[in-house]
Amino acid sequence: MAELVYPPVILFAKTMFRALDLRLRVDGGERLPRRGGAVIACNHVSYLDFIFCGLGAQPAKRLVRFMAKEQVFRHRIAGPLMRGMGHIPVDRRAGRASYDEAVARLRAGEVVGVFPEATISSSFTVEDIKSGAVRMAAAADVPLVPMAVWGTQRLWTKGHPRTLTKRHVPISVLLGEPMRVSPGEDADALTRELRTRMANLLDKAQAEYPEQPSGSGDRWWLPAHLGGTAPRP
C-alpha cells in the first residue's frame, strides 16, 4: 500500500529541525534490519520521542509504526496523522487487541516502536519497563532493538513548558545490538536484560552529550545522578 502520509510528515519534521538547527546524531542506525519485522524499544523522556525514534530508523530506510495511547488518535489534528502513518492505538483497558495488531504487523515485516516504560520518565533515567516488547518480539520471531534518545526533554517534556522554537539543541539517538528472543525463554529475565541495554545506551548518550546546563537554573534536564535537579527514580 502506498505511503501517502508518512513521507511528507518526515520531510516536514526534517525541514523544521533544519530551520531550528537541531544537531541530530544517530549512532548505530545500521543495526536496525533493512527488511523484515523488528521491535524497537526506546526510553521515554519527551512528548517528541516518537519523532526522533522514527528518524533513528531512517538510515535503514524503515518506517516505524508506534504504539501510542488511544487518546492521541482521538485528537482532531494528531489523530488523522497517526492513522495515516499506520501507528497502532493502545486502549489500556483492552490491550490485547493492540498487542495482536502489533504482532500481526511484525509478522508482515514491519517495524513496531514501543516505549516500554509506558510513560515519560520524569527522572530522565530508564525506569521499570513492561514486558510487552519482549513478548511481541518472541511471538513474531523478530529482532528486538534497544534504543535511547537524549536531549529531546529540553524541547518538551512532562512538567516543563514547551520550547519548540529553541535552536541548536543537540539530540542523540543511539541504537544497540539487536536481541533475539524465542517464545520459550523467560520473558521477565529478557525484560531485565532489555532494560539494562537501554540504560547503558542512555548512559552513553548522556556521557557523550556535547552540552551542559548553562547555569544552576538550567539543571532541570539532567538526572540527579549527574548533578541535575530532576527527581530521583
Side-chain angles (χ1 to χ4, degrees):
M1 186 172 65
E3 295 285 352
L4 300 179
V5 178
Y6 218 140
V9 169
I10 291 174
L11 179 61
F12 175 77
K14 287 181 174 179
T15 301
M16 285 287 294
F17 298 154
R18 276 196 296 270
L20 295 173
D21 192 27
L22 298 185
R23 290 176 280 160
L24 178 63
R25 167 203 175 199
V26 177
D27 183 9
E30 73 283 354
R31 291 171 172 156
L32 184 65
R34 286 185 171 268
R35 59 182 60 86
V39 176
I40 290 176
C42 188
N43 72 308
H44 203 6
V45 294
S46 166
Y47 293 109
L48 303 175
D49 288 339
F50 75 97
I51 298 175
F52 292 97
C53 288
L55 292 178
Q58 286 293 289
K61 295 180 169 53
R62 302 303 302 269
L63 299 177
V64 184
R65 314 301 178 176
F66 286 98
M67 302 186 75
K69 60 186 179 181
E70 189 182 38
Q71 294 95 307
V72 178
F73 290 78
R74 293 201 294 263
H75 190 275
R76 63 185 182 87
I77 296 174
L81 290 175
M82 295 291 282
R83 288 189 290 273
M85 289 186 281
H87 297 315
I88 303 169
V90 177
D91 182 349
R92 291 177 177 172
R93 297 167 299 177
R96 183 71 199 192
S98 305
Y99 174 88
D100 290 343
E101 174 67 17
V103 171
R105 300 282 194 95
L106 292 167
R107 288 173 175 162
E110 297 200 55
V111 178
V112 173
V114 179
F115 297 103
E117 293 165 286
T119 190
I120 290 174
S121 168
S122 298
S123 68
F124 304 139
T125 64
V126 180
E127 309 252 6
D128 290 339
I129 68 173
K130 299 183 182 297
S131 63
V134 165
R135 291 187 290 108
M136 287 189 301
D141 191 23
V142 299
L144 173 58
V145 182
M147 177 185 276
V149 295
W150 185 244
T152 56
Q153 77 279 15
R154 298 178 65 189
L155 299 175
W156 189 15
T157 192
K158 186 186 298 184
H160 295 274
R162 283 176 290 182
T163 53
L164 298 180
T165 57
K166 190 176 181 65
R167 296 174 58 82
H168 316 305
V169 175
I171 306 292
S172 301
V173 182
L174 279 64
L175 289 81
E177 291 291 343
M179 298 170 59
R180 293 301 310 207
V181 298
S182 301
E185 295 187 75
D186 185 335
D188 290 336
L190 289 168
T191 299
R192 290 192 293 271
E193 172 65 19
L194 172 62
R195 182 181 180 277
T196 297
R197 293 192 185 201
M198 291 168 59
N200 288 342
L201 286 171
L202 183 57
D203 287 344
K204 185 174 188 289
Q206 291 168 342
E208 296 175 353
Y209 195 68
E211 286 190 1
Q212 291 296 316
S214 57
S216 58
D218 194 37
R219 303 193 73 81
W220 65 266
W221 56 266
L222 276 186
H225 72 273
L226 293 180
T229 58
R232 293 189 178 275

